[in-house]
Amino acid sequence: MTFAAPLEAKSIRFRARSFVAFTLTPEAPMVEWLQGLDHWIGNSPGYFAGRPVLLDLNVLKPRPSEIAALVTELGTRGIRIYAIELEGASLGPELPPLLVGAKEATTDGLLPGRKGQDEVSGKPEGKAEGRAPDHRMDARTDAASVAKGKAGASKTDESEPQVSHYDSGTLMIKAPIRSGQAIMHPHGDVIVLGSVASGSEIVAAGSIHVYGTLRGRASAGALGNTGARIFCRRNEAELLSVDGWYITAEEMEGVSRGKPVQAFLDGEGLRVETLS
Amino acid sequence: MGKVVVVTSGKGGVGKTTSTAALGAAVAKTGKKVALVDFDVGLRNLDLIMGAERRVVFDLVNVIQGTAKLSQALIRDKRVDTLFLLPASQTRDKDALTEEGVGEVIDKLRSVFDYVFCDSPAGIERGAQLAMRFADEAVIVTNPEVSSVRDSDRIIGLLDARTMRAEQGEQIAKHVLVTRYDAGRAARGEMLSIDDVLEILSVPLLGIIPESQDVLRASNLGSPVTLSEPLNTAAKAYIDAARRLEGEDLPVVVPFERKGFLDRLLGRRAA
């Protein structure tokens, strides 16, 4: 007995998408890099859970056998690699696919009006000031040709008190940011006129200006803008991060605490300097 | 139409229930009709602090579920006849509260009373959110400790987001009540100063209640300190806070450590 499948002209949905993923760039020596990674995961458990992570091996340039070991090693830490970047490599079917043509995400690269982007999580990544590079992650867009963005406002948790967009790029918040609130702004600068409480978080593609005391976490240039800076009238921050390079409260020297500061990248890492 | 005031804090054990009772009693003594509503379903305490635990027949959950009328559940205070208590149920949990039910009860209370004080449970979950849901004003009870202040900050964020007024684009009036303030410890820098607390929370100050054994004793005896010992410094601070809540413009005095004769003689410094 045969069945004739009803022939319906069903078009296949086939679209290009672009979205933001995190890129891990391992560097030799591997033992130390993995220790650094473990330390990082210890501080932020569950950070990688359910997130697509790219493995950029262009710095490490490992042998094919080492790649499998590395992917397994990361797998045991709950990090799922969904593609590998390595120029000129050919990977076996047991490994995640090779990715070509990836670009770093920048604010310019994001299409205007592409708001509420797929999980642009700008949690702190990278490394601390004044140490040899151990690990660094950046958010990148795996840009396929057409970007289909979702329209919507910048994502914030719970409330967004008295917020106004001055021009297309800048988000101004006229009320204090309370503990537990998270401000995500993937299009430009964030200006906060009040204080930013301990236990809150600001993530911006551009710079962050806080005209009160910064006690929470601030991540500027979260989509890969090395020129972004963080300014605050009084630095009591839990964490400052620019383009994935971060520094925690513990690592900030005593001189920059309680003072007006700016944080920026100077080619070697993140610097926190007092504003005179 | 009466005013609905939620007394909340985020953190537990900072003095929400004690403050609800003391403020409510202080306002009621001025002749205003006051209802105290315990929202801590499952862990009710307000009835004990008010000394009404042996008179509870019906409770908030009964009223919401329609098994009792509001007038049956309200308990009139024996000392101040404009003061009423709506107790929580001890045998149920917070899931027994529904938003519509709470809204109806609050609406009825609002039409009868001048002030409705809602004693919020600790935490930021359902119970706490329902307690603040229909409030016009909020008293945020904070101890001058870092953990308490951060939790209060979280609660203020919720007040600005999850209350009916906030959702309608209106502001909810917020006041900070600093409790268990120990002048000696503050002078030695062992607790946050009032300035630090206000700077972090950026909410106006309603009052500073000094740490006092009398407040605890009054609570255990089932009488708010503002009724049992109105001349006590903590009671006075509560009475002043209640007057500020009613809109009176009273300056807040930060309590200082009283130095004894011997201390002064020996030249001992507080700092």
Side-chain angles (χ1 to χ4, degrees):
Chain A
M1 200 157 74
T2 53
F3 287 99
L7 274 173
E8 264 181 48
K10 264 208 168 165
S11 62
I12 296 171
R13 284 165 155 250
F14 195 77
R15 279 181 299 185
R17 280 242 172 117
S18 83
F19 56 92
V20 174
F22 284 92
T23 307
L24 270 175
T25 312
E27 286 166 47
M30 276 314 293
V31 178
E32 278 177 28
W33 186 82
L34 284 171
Q35 274 173 0
L37 183 68
D38 284 340
H39 181 68
W40 161 256
I41 293 173
N43 284 339
S44 315
Y47 180 71
F48 288 103
R51 293 201 173 166
V53 176
L54 300 185
L55 198 54
D56 180 355
L57 298 176
N58 285 318
V59 177
L60 190 65
K61 298 202 190 308
R63 287 192 297 276
S65 60
E66 291 171 337
I67 300 179
L70 179 59
V71 169
T72 320
E73 195 71 45
L74 293 172
T76 59
R77 289 167 172 79
I79 301 173
R80 239 170 93 189
I81 303 298
Y82 93 129
I84 290 175
E85 271 190 284
L86 180 56
E87 275 167 38
S90 61
L91 303 175
E94 73 284 0
L95 285 173
L98 204 61
L99 186 80
V100 283
K103 285 189 238 159
E104 294 238 1
T106 59
T107 35
D108 307 333
L110 293 166
L111 295 181
R114 268 201 81 199
K115 300 177 177 181
Q117 196 162 6
D118 306 344
E119 267 304 306
V120 183
S121 180
K123 282 232 183 137
E125 314 87 41
K127 62 168 299 293
E129 181 185 19
R131 278 209 230 124
D134 41 19
H135 62 280
R136 194 176 163 211
M137 294 160 273
D138 5 309
R140 293 195 174 179
T141 48
D142 308 325
S145 53
V146 187
K148 288 234 171 200
K150 280 179 273 174
S154 299
K155 184 184 153 192
T156 64
D157 179 32
E158 287 159 15
S159 76
E160 196 171 315
Q162 300 164 34
V163 168
S164 51
H165 290 260
Y166 267 73
D167 56 63
S168 55
T170 303
L171 178 74
M172 183 178 294
I173 299 164
K174 291 172 184 158
I177 298 188
R178 303 291 181 183
S179 184
Q181 289 182 331
I183 308 289
M184 298 281 234
H185 187 57
H187 324 291
D189 293 3
V190 172
I191 299 173
V192 184
L193 297 184
S195 291
V196 177
S198 146
S200 66
E201 186 172 31
I202 302 178
V203 177
S207 296
I208 297 171
H209 310 254
V210 179
Y211 288 92
T213 306
L214 173 55
R215 296 192 177 82
R217 302 157 80 104
S219 303
L223 303 179
N225 179 357
T226 53
R229 294 189 176 208
I230 299 168
F231 305 88
C232 62
R233 280 271 289 273
R234 194 168 149 206
N235 172 31
E236 301 285 350
E238 288 167 0
L239 184 142
L240 298 173
S241 126
V242 176
D243 184 28
W245 303 74
Y246 73 86
I247 179 166
T248 58
E250 211 174 75
E251 292 163 323
M252 282 180 226
E253 332 92 286
V255 286
S256 73
R257 301 297 281 174
K259 301 218 171 71
V261 299
Q262 62 165 331
F264 57 98
L265 293 178
D266 72 345
E268 293 195 352
L270 188 65
R271 282 176 65 98
V272 181
E273 275 189 2
T274 52
L275 293 165
S276 47
Chain B
M1 285 289 269
K3 244 193 242 175
V4 179
V5 182
V6 61
V7 181
T8 186
S9 71
K11 194 170 170 2
V14 296
K16 279 181 299 295
T17 303
T18 308
S19 297
T20 307
L23 283 176
V27 173
K29 270 217 292 196
T30 66
K32 297 264 168 46
K33 281 191 85 177
V34 174
L36 309 178
V37 187
D38 192 348
F39 272 86
D40 207 347
V41 177
L43 290 170
R44 76 170 185 217
N45 283 154
L46 190 56
D47 55 328
L48 289 172
I49 308 283
M50 293 301 295
E53 73 275 12
R54 283 181 295 177
R55 297 162 63 203
V56 174
V57 183
F58 298 109
D59 54 51
L60 178 62
V61 173
N62 294 136
V63 177
I64 285 175
Q65 293 179 339
T67 48
K69 277 188 275 185
L70 184 57
S71 53
Q72 291 176 297
L74 281 168
I75 302 170
R76 184 193 286 263
D77 191 87
K78 283 186 170 165
R79 295 149 294 206
V80 184
D81 56 4
T82 54
L83 183 59
F84 290 79
L85 169 70
L86 180 55
S89 170
Q90 182 72 351
T91 52
R92 310 296 292 270
D93 60 32
K94 271 123 191 141
D95 295 332
L97 299 177
T98 60
E99 187 178 325
E100 304 76 56
V102 171
E104 273 173 39
V105 171
I106 295 285
D107 272 346
K108 273 186 215 157
L109 290 171
R110 200 198 291 267
S111 63
V112 178
F113 289 92
D114 298 312
Y115 278 91
V116 180
F117 286 91
C118 303
D119 180 24
S120 169
I124 53 173
E125 282 78 30
R126 190 182 162 78
Q129 293 198 11
L130 278 174
M132 68 170 68
R133 183 79 183 137
F134 302 96
D136 305 308
E137 294 195 19
V139 173
I140 299 122
V141 181
T142 296
N143 293 165
E145 320 281 350
V146 281
S147 53
S148 171
V149 172
R150 187 204 268 185
D151 290 359
S152 295
D153 196 62
R154 181 87 168 91
I155 276 289
I156 295 169
L158 290 175
L159 285 166
D160 284 335
R162 301 277 170 85
T163 51
M164 209 67 162
R165 272 184 171 247
E167 283 178 11
Q168 288 164 357
E170 292 169 49
Q171 278 283 318
I172 171 162
K174 297 179 286 286
H175 316 270
V176 170
L177 184 67
V178 178
T179 56
R180 312 197 67 168
Y181 182 82
D182 186 328
R185 286 185 58 213
R188 289 190 296 275
E190 290 168 14
M191 50 169 42
L192 289 176
S193 74
I194 295 295
D195 287 345
D196 288 340
V197 174
L198 295 182
E199 203 269 324
I200 293 172
L201 298 179
S202 51
V203 164
L205 182 64
L206 185 69
I208 304 167
I209 313 299
E211 168 86 64
S212 163
Q213 296 301 314
D214 305 327
V215 175
L216 300 175
R217 190 178 60 233
S219 292
N220 283 329
L221 293 175
S223 169
V225 72
T226 44
L227 293 183
S228 62
E229 301 173 55
L231 296 178
N232 176 281
T233 46
K236 278 185 187 158
Y238 271 122
I239 291 167
D240 285 353
R243 285 167 67 186
R244 286 183 206 107
L245 194 63
E246 290 193 79
E248 216 173 304
D249 187 17
L250 280 177
V252 182
V253 182
V254 178
F256 55 91
E257 195 174 29
R258 249 193 229 124
K259 279 198 229 166
F261 171 70
L262 209 60
D263 291 335
R264 233 173 290 183
L265 201 69
L266 298 171
R268 216 152 64 187
R269 288 214 314 264

